[in-house]
Amino acid sequence: MRSQQDEIVDFTAAEAVLRIERTSLRVQQPATTPEMVSLAVGEPDFATPPRIIKAAADALANGLTHYSPQLGEKPLLLALAKLVSAQSGAEVGPGEILVTHGGTGGLSAAILSIVNPGDRVVIPDPTYSLYADLVNMAGGVCVPVPCKENLHWDLAALEQAMQGARLFVFCNPSNPTGIVHTREEIEALGEIVKASDTLVVADEAYSDLVFTDQPFTSVLEVESFRGRTLYCQTFSKSYAMTGWRIGYLAGPARMIAAAARVHNSVNSSVNTAVQYAALTAIEECAQDVREMHKVYAERRELMIAGLNAIPGLTLSNPEGAFYCFPSYSAPVSSVEMVGILRGFGIAVRPGSEFGAAGESHIRLSYAASKELIAEGLERLKRGLASLS
């Protein structure tokens, strides 16, 4: 019997796929096993709060098993509009919120609805590697702008790069660096994008995971971003809902309508019961978020102390998200370093996955238990010692 594979005489993937394959820096990393401690995965190890799970079960039991409206379920849209209005100080109207298949679904819809072939898209370097993949899928041209040595933005370089750019994409708090950009930086960026007439996609997935003395500044709070920005958010990180795949976009109605066209063409609407679970997360789970934040803060201190005690590593203070991004002095590439460390039973991510400026860095996640962090740091220390 001939297999289905035999029927394909000649196949070449679409050019959009080939562009990603030629340029993508993204890599898959192993999960924790008895032999391998993984500090590579950016996923909370907490269980989803029980009230959220019950809300989904109740929604299913009550027959909420049909297609949802394309922008999202009305109760969730109203709750999100209220949330965004409170942050921005401006009323959010109908058509200014889109419920998406996770943060990645929102980012995909946002970027693919904005970028035309040949458009210049400015991104910080290092940054989350999905942005570049989506820009390349759209046929745009990525313009990476290296961050300063302390991993904060080089605002002068960004201002120059933004001339003639279609879009600027960034995350704050930052994946992979853990940097939280200050109000002064956000306001300065707002003036730059306004002066250059650049559109913005602002990914604030980790905004509930901030460990600075100063309150977090969202783009929603800064006037100069209004009318040109798609705000991207997810329930994955704050509420430990990574597998639920739900997030949202907020922004001007015309931009949301364009993003919705992409999102609904590729994904259609989000699972109805999951939307009611997300509604419960917003309305009832603030204390759960605070409790997880407290544990992350403890893990963060453990990882910072451990990394600072390892010879050959230099760590810029991680202020948010759940990542540390130390540089190392050993004369090997970050991909080679990851391979060496795996030999010692510790998985991390190579800094070069996040851009050329990430070379000679590794990314570690403290979204893991204290026991795994402690054991991983010990294995990291042994691995680095083998290179001296």
Side-chain angles (χ1 to χ4, degrees):
M1 179 180 294
R2 300 178 69 188
S3 72
Q4 186 177 5
Q5 293 297 325
D6 294 330
E7 300 297 325
I8 301 176
V9 176
D10 184 23
F11 172 75
T12 302
E15 180 57 29
V17 175
L18 298 179
R19 283 196 296 268
I20 296 173
E21 289 182 347
R22 287 194 296 266
T23 59
S24 181
L25 300 174
R26 308 191 83 195
V27 296
Q28 295 296 317
Q29 293 288 348
T32 292
T33 67
E35 296 76 31
M36 181 73 67
V37 172
S38 178
L39 300 180
V41 181
E43 177 176 23
D45 67 330
F46 297 106
T48 303
R51 280 169 290 187
I52 296 174
I53 296 172
K54 183 178 184 301
D58 288 347
L60 293 170
N62 291 329
L64 295 176
T65 59
H66 299 280
Y67 289 136
S68 172
Q70 291 195 332
L71 290 182
E73 289 291 318
K74 186 174 181 180
L76 179 58
L77 291 175
L78 290 174
L80 292 173
K82 182 179 178 181
L83 189 66
V84 173
S85 296
Q87 287 182 270
S88 65
E91 184 176 353
V92 176
E96 294 183 325
I97 301 286
L98 169 66
V99 180
T100 63
H101 284 266
T104 54
L107 289 167
S108 301
I111 292 173
L112 295 176
S113 68
I114 293 172
V115 178
N116 294 306
D119 280 347
R120 295 173 66 254
V121 179
V122 178
I123 57 174
D125 184 1
T127 196
Y128 182 36
S129 54
L130 177 64
Y131 306 150
D133 284 3
L134 292 170
V135 171
N136 287 319
M137 180 183 286
V141 178
C142 283
V143 182
V145 177
C147 293
K148 295 187 295 186
E149 188 174 353
N150 66 359
L151 300 178
H152 283 261
W153 293 324
D154 184 334
L155 289 166
L158 282 178
E159 183 174 18
Q160 183 175 4
M162 219 79 78
Q163 303 306 310
R166 170 72 167 170
L167 178 66
F168 179 57
V169 186
F170 72 99
C171 51
N172 183 38
S174 172
N175 176 10
T177 66
I179 291 299
V180 177
H181 295 289
T182 64
R183 173 169 288 277
E184 290 73 20
E185 287 177 293
I186 297 296
E187 290 178 344
L189 175 67
E191 292 305 314
I192 290 170
V193 297
K194 184 177 180 180
S196 59
D197 198 24
T198 305
L199 300 176
V200 176
V201 171
D203 178 1
E204 296 188 5
Y206 300 94
S207 59
D208 284 323
L209 297 174
V210 173
F211 307 100
T212 64
D213 294 332
Q214 299 300 315
F216 176 72
T217 300
S218 169
V219 295
L220 296 173
E221 304 170 36
V222 180
E223 177 71 31
S224 50
F225 285 98
R226 292 181 188 164
R228 69 177 63 255
T229 300
L230 283 176
Y231 168 82
C232 183
Q233 191 54 271
T234 177
F235 289 81
S236 292
K237 315 301 182 181
S238 300
Y239 300 99
M241 292 178 67
T242 51
W244 296 72
R245 309 315 304 137
I246 184 163
Y248 63 96
L249 295 174
R254 289 177 65 185
M255 294 179 74
I256 289 292
R261 176 68 69 181
V262 173
H263 189 267
N264 293 321
S265 296
V266 175
N267 297 299
S268 191
S269 56
V270 173
N271 178 298
T272 304
V274 168
Q275 293 190 57
Y276 281 90
L279 179 61
T280 294
I282 294 172
E283 294 182 340
E284 300 183 21
C285 295
Q287 182 59 33
D288 297 279
V289 174
R290 286 191 288 269
E291 290 173 0
M292 287 187 278
H293 183 281
K294 180 180 178 181
V295 175
Y296 282 129
E298 294 169 354
R299 295 173 176 181
R300 171 180 173 269
E301 292 300 322
L302 175 64
M303 183 169 279
I304 289 174
L307 291 173
N308 284 333
I310 297 176
L313 290 182
T314 301
L315 180 65
S316 291
N317 186 39
E319 302 155 321
F322 38 58
Y323 304 114
C324 289
F325 198 62
S327 63
Y328 59 84
S329 57
V332 297
S333 73
S334 60
V335 171
E336 291 172 322
M337 177 63 80
V338 166
I340 291 167
L341 293 176
R342 283 192 188 181
F344 286 82
I346 169 68
V348 299
R349 297 189 92 92
S352 60
E353 176 184 343
F354 305 95
E359 187 53 88
S360 297
H361 291 73
I362 53 175
R363 193 198 77 175
L364 302 94
S365 169
Y366 50 89
S369 70
K370 291 181 179 179
E371 293 75 17
L372 286 176
I373 291 171
E375 177 60 28
L377 290 171
E378 183 58 37
R379 295 183 185 192
L380 174 64
K381 183 177 180 179
R382 292 199 300 267
L384 289 173
S386 73
L387 299 173
S388 60

